[in-house]
Amino acid sequence: MKLTATSTRARHARWIRPILAVTTAALVAGCAQVPNPSPNDPWESYNRSMYSFNDMVDRAVLKPIATGYETITPRPVRTCVHNVFSNLGDVWSGINSLLQGRGRDFVDTFGRILFNSTVGLGGCIDVASMHGARKIPNDFGMTLGVWGFGQGPYFVLPFFGASTVRDGVGTAVTLAAPVTPTAAVFAIDNIPVRNSILGLYIVDTRANLLEAGRLVDQIALDKYSFIRDAYLQRRKAMLDSRENSQHASTQDTLDDAGQPAAHPSDNLPVYDDPEAAPSN
């Protein structure tokens, strides 16, 4: 009986610590005031404080684990793990394409799932992308946008990070939906296996953001503003592609859109001799 009581207290303690941490972050959020917030970020005081809290948790826990995972795990293994989770995520993307009335995107996405799940060994190998069937990212926040709901103010979610009011609702629906990668993991009855796969999913997600994080550290003077503006621009590009074109943007086109445009002369060969003396 004594052992049972001790175990119960230990379980409660594991839940209390995160709750206290979030509560502390919320209290801090009320202390840091931004006098002139951005028009698209009226809650900037709260958002910056929550961003700082998320960044603190990331630097203390998630980033070191993800960096270690990247260091010790061979790239083919990491790619396989990421592709399996991405293949599960395509199910939810396809359903949202259907909810948006985008039948072509729905068919293309589920074609990817069938192709990768069979020929791609359960999604380990992204055979579909190799054959031109590019990934079409989609989620319920984007579905709400297609349905006409405004995005609302920018909003930093605890642990999840950049979002808007509309996308925050979409995140809540995604967590509750029965056909998402996290739902598939939580459906596993074996608790140790379930927790291990959930941990791997979190680490894989964070590891795939390491390179982007390094880039932000190098070029951004204000990382909060950089991440906010990049997030809002990306979401706008995704919604515009659904409202103004026949086919939604793919992962590749969204990534390329964030790159600076090349100058026409950038692709020309250089014939200069670096050791030649300058002409007078």
Side-chain angles (χ1 to χ4, degrees):
M1 180 66 68
K2 183 177 180 180
L3 181 60
T4 302
T6 302
S7 301
T8 302
R9 286 196 298 270
R11 286 196 298 269
H12 287 170
R14 286 197 296 268
W15 285 103
I16 290 173
R17 291 191 190 99
I19 293 173
L20 289 177
V22 174
T23 303
T24 302
L27 292 175
V28 172
C31 300
Q33 296 297 321
V34 176
N36 298 305
S38 172
N40 62 351
D41 188 8
W43 301 338
E44 189 171 354
S45 298
Y46 157 80
N47 286 333
R48 282 188 178 271
S49 296
M50 185 53 69
Y51 168 81
S52 298
F53 167 73
N54 288 344
D55 187 58
M56 176 186 66
V57 173
D58 180 66
R59 291 179 182 276
V61 181
L62 297 179
K63 185 176 180 179
I65 295 175
T67 303
Y69 171 76
E70 182 186 54
T71 302
I72 66 175
T73 307
R75 181 181 293 274
V77 176
R78 299 200 312 268
T79 301
C80 176
V81 170
H82 180 71
N83 286 345
V84 169
F85 286 126
S86 179
N87 193 47
L88 290 172
D90 277 344
V91 177
W92 185 232
S93 294
I95 290 173
N96 277 283
S97 292
L98 186 63
L99 292 174
Q100 295 167 17
R102 304 187 65 83
R104 171 74 179 272
D105 293 341
F106 170 79
V107 172
D108 289 348
T109 297
F110 272 86
R112 274 180 53 87
I113 296 169
L114 292 174
F115 203 22
N116 286 338
S117 299
T118 53
V119 181
L121 305 178
C124 179
I125 305 172
D126 189 359
V127 183
S129 292
M130 296 177 185
H131 288 78
R134 302 298 180 183
K135 184 179 184 68
I136 302 174
N138 221 337
D139 55 69
F140 195 71
M142 196 53 51
T143 298
L144 292 175
V146 172
W147 289 351
F149 291 90
Q151 71 174 11
Y154 180 71
F155 182 45
V156 178
L157 297 172
F159 304 112
F160 289 92
S163 185
T164 61
V165 171
R166 181 182 66 205
D167 290 345
V169 173
T171 298
V173 172
T174 299
L175 292 174
V179 286
T180 60
T182 50
V185 174
F186 281 117
I188 299 174
D189 293 329
N190 189 307
I191 295 178
V193 173
R194 180 182 66 199
N195 292 343
S196 298
I197 296 177
L198 181 61
L200 181 61
Y201 175 68
I202 295 172
V203 172
D204 168 72
T205 301
R206 183 60 184 89
N208 280 276
L209 296 174
L210 286 174
E211 190 60 37
R214 296 184 187 110
L215 179 63
V216 172
D217 289 338
Q218 291 173 3
I219 67 176
L221 297 177
D222 181 2
K223 292 195 292 183
Y224 168 81
S225 297
F226 183 91
I227 293 172
R228 176 194 62 200
D229 295 344
Y231 177 83
L232 293 177
Q233 290 172 12
R234 181 182 178 87
R235 297 297 288 181
K236 182 178 184 301
M238 290 179 66
L239 186 58
D240 287 347
S241 72
R242 285 154 177 78
E243 293 180 337
N244 303 325
S245 65
Q246 184 178 0
H247 303 302
S249 55
T250 64
Q251 188 71 44
D252 292 346
T253 57
L254 286 170
D255 291 342
D256 292 342
Q259 301 298 324
H263 189 274
S265 63
D266 288 349
N267 294 325
L268 296 178
V270 178
Y271 297 104
D272 295 338
D273 183 0
E275 296 181 359
S279 59
N280 293 327

